[in-house]
Amino acid sequence: YRLSVYLAASWDRRVFLRTIRDQFRALGVRVTSRWIDANHGYHGADFLVEARRDRADIDRASILILDTTDTHTKGGRDWEAGYATGKGKRVVRVGPVITPFHTDVSLWFEDWDNCLAHFTTYLEHAGARNN
């Protein structure tokens, strides 16, 4: 893979993000977000295990993509974006600004279609430069 991304979003967006992951994979992008395959919520004793898994997944990504299209969240996605920022990773936002921290991103897109179109073009040009 030439690029790896972590998808950060509200828990309710995980099923939708499986489709986004598949589209990124078709572009040759590795998606490190294992949380989107979970079918249960975070519960008590699982909190630490889940948090460690998510941090490891963010650490393995070169970019974190923050989905702010759903305003119903407990804040996990924003913590993940802050963690990625603290690690010096690029953060890309898809959706509106909800908090002041959502303005401190490398790129932003109105929706996932525009985000995927950007990465498609970027990777096409990167491939042309490598040939």
Side-chain angles (χ1 to χ4, degrees):
Y1 290 100
R2 297 175 277 191
L3 181 66
S4 59
V5 300
Y6 181 89
L7 305 175
S10 68
W11 177 256
D12 292 339
R13 297 284 286 166
R14 73 189 183 289
V15 173
F16 169 76
L17 289 180
R18 293 172 190 166
T19 303
I20 299 299
R21 175 193 53 204
D22 294 345
Q23 291 177 59
F24 271 115
R25 283 182 176 168
L27 296 173
V29 175
R30 180 171 57 123
V31 177
T32 64
S33 309
R34 290 179 284 173
W35 74 271
I36 64 177
D37 289 317
N39 289 317
H40 62 83
Y42 297 118
H43 302 288
D46 294 339
F47 279 156
L48 184 57
V49 171
E50 304 291 346
R52 287 180 176 161
R53 181 205 57 212
D54 293 350
R55 278 196 310 266
D57 289 352
I58 294 166
D59 289 343
R60 291 184 301 121
S62 50
I63 296 172
L64 180 138
I65 303 179
L66 175 65
D67 179 343
T68 61
T69 60
D70 181 2
T71 59
H72 298 94
T73 178
K74 293 181 181 176
R77 69 173 181 208
D78 295 315
W79 188 94
E80 292 168 333
Y83 177 77
T85 299
K87 297 290 258 182
K89 297 186 181 283
R90 292 180 64 195
V91 175
V92 173
R93 186 185 78 246
V94 176
V97 170
I98 298 170
T99 76
F101 296 102
H102 294 159
T103 61
D104 189 17
V105 295
S106 300
L107 292 168
W108 70 272
F109 301 97
E110 186 175 317
D111 55 38
W112 279 104
D113 289 339
N114 287 321
C115 178
L116 287 162
H118 169 82
F119 279 97
T120 299
T121 301
Y122 169 79
L123 292 167
E124 286 172 355
H125 288 117
R129 285 191 300 270
N130 291 332
N131 289 330

